[in-house]
Structure formats: C-alpha cells, structure tokens
Amino acid sequence: MIKKQEYSLAEVSRLLSESQHRLIYLCEKGVVVPDFGNASGRGSSRRFSARNLLEFAIALKFRELMIPAAIIGAVLYVLRKFETAVKKEMPGFSLPDGLRMKKSPVLRIVFLDGPKLYFQIGPHHGSSKTFGGLDLGQLVSSRQDNREPVKDTLSGFAWTNLEASGDKMLGEIARLEVNVTRIAQNLPLSE
C-alpha cells in the first residue's frame, strides 16, 4: 500500500520529469485540483496527493494527444466519480493504489464516436465492465458554466451493457483509449 503523502509542486515536477510551469497551467485551468491545498495568494503553495500525481500523468498523456484542457478537466472530474462507483463493486478500491498492486484490474479511459466517454475496468484477460456513455460536450459546458455536473450530466452515467468483442466495442468508427493502470504502475511513488 502506498503511504498517504503530500507532494509539493517541485516534488511533482521532479517525479514526473515535467516543468513546474506546465503543472501550474493544469492547476490554473482546473484540470488538476490539489487534494491538500491550493495556492491562494502570495506565500501559499499547492500540495498534492498520489491521486493528483496520477491525474497529472493522465492529463500530460492527453495533452500529448492534443486533447484540450477543458476536456481533460471534465474527464478527470468524472474519473473521481467513477472511483466512487467502483468502490461499490470493489470495496477498498482507490486511485492510484488500486491500480498499482499485483493483479490490479485494468482501467481504461475510452472516447468513442460522438464523443462519448467510457471507463472500462476488468482483469488483464477476460471481459471488462463498462461505465459510461457520457456526452463530453455537455460535461465541459456544465463545468464552464459552474453548474453542478453531477445533477446535469452524470445522472445517466452508470454501468452499461455494451456489446463487446474481446477488447473492442462494436459499431465504433473512432476510438481513443488510455490505459490508466499502466500510467499508475509507472508512477515513481515509493511503496
């Protein structure tokens, strides 16, 4: 189990081999919200959790794929809600700890035609459970308007029974997938 530790911006920058400037940008755009304190003026500092490190790593991967910050922020917001849903199915599950153990489930963030957002979780081999079908445009606009996305857009976002063939959902034309488990396992956190 990973120790619950706080990380400074400088530590996160060093651990992820990323410039502080880029990390600050992600915070200022609301993509990553520090779990232990946000900078609120001169002399204050942001403090981050291991989950925040995972969020930064996911955000940086999506930025490499040219995904806009507003969409990344919406995806990470929903990822936190997804974690709550998974805890009902897998008691004790938490991010990133639940993805860093031996025989961890494989968690993927999937964008399909539309764009629709899904999360798939399951064993390394075998069938995965799918959660989602959220319209990203609705979520992004609700976050930008400062409305409560849970009421407006997440009400129908639940476990879904999509037809699946192995790892591929049928009927898709476009698909973008990010393996969150692999990102979590590559985080340079002490055990």
Side-chain angles (χ1 to χ4, degrees):
M1 204 53 123
I2 298 169
K3 290 186 340 186
K4 301 297 179 206
Q5 183 175 346
E6 292 183 25
Y7 300 90
S8 69
L9 184 65
E11 290 169 321
V12 173
S13 175
R14 182 182 48 76
L15 288 169
L16 297 179
S17 300
E18 194 59 58
S19 73
Q20 288 186 32
H21 177 74
R22 241 177 131 189
L23 301 176
I24 291 169
Y25 171 83
L26 292 171
C27 290
E28 289 178 354
K29 290 294 184 182
V31 174
V32 175
V33 178
D35 279 338
F36 296 121
N38 207 349
S40 58
R42 188 177 172 101
S44 65
S45 63
R46 296 172 175 96
R47 303 294 296 170
F48 303 98
S49 67
R51 178 193 356 228
N52 290 142
L53 265 70
L54 176 63
E55 291 169 342
F56 275 123
I58 293 167
L60 293 166
K61 178 52 67 183
F62 278 134
R63 291 299 290 157
E64 285 177 20
L65 299 170
M66 307 302 285
I67 305 295
I71 291 176
I72 299 167
V75 169
L76 293 179
Y77 175 84
V78 177
L79 179 62
R80 285 185 176 237
K81 300 301 178 188
F82 173 74
E83 179 182 16
T84 301
V86 171
K87 285 180 183 180
K88 292 177 184 172
E89 300 267 329
M90 302 167 70
F93 180 84
S94 67
L95 294 173
D97 301 357
L99 301 176
R100 291 179 52 85
M101 302 177 300
K102 287 184 180 181
K103 297 188 180 183
S104 294
V106 176
L107 172 60
R108 294 181 180 96
I109 297 171
V110 181
F111 295 108
L112 290 182
D113 313 322
K116 296 286 186 181
L117 172 65
Y118 296 89
F119 294 94
Q120 285 187 314
I121 191 166
H124 286 276
H125 303 288
S127 63
S128 298
K129 289 187 174 192
T130 303
F131 186 87
L134 180 64
D135 182 308
L136 275 171
Q138 288 179 345
L139 181 59
V140 169
S141 67
S142 69
R143 288 190 81 227
Q144 289 172 339
D145 295 342
N146 291 321
R147 293 186 318 225
E148 180 54 47
V150 174
K151 292 178 187 170
D152 295 344
T153 57
L154 296 180
S155 58
F157 192 61
W159 293 105
T160 179
N161 295 320
L162 293 177
E163 289 183 358
S165 173
D167 263 344
K168 298 289 181 189
M169 291 181 205
L170 298 177
E172 72 204 40
I173 295 173
R175 177 185 182 109
L176 173 67
E177 178 177 307
V178 172
N179 186 325
V180 177
T181 299
R182 190 162 296 140
I183 291 170
Q185 291 174 344
N186 288 332
L187 288 175
L189 300 173
S190 59
E191 301 293 330

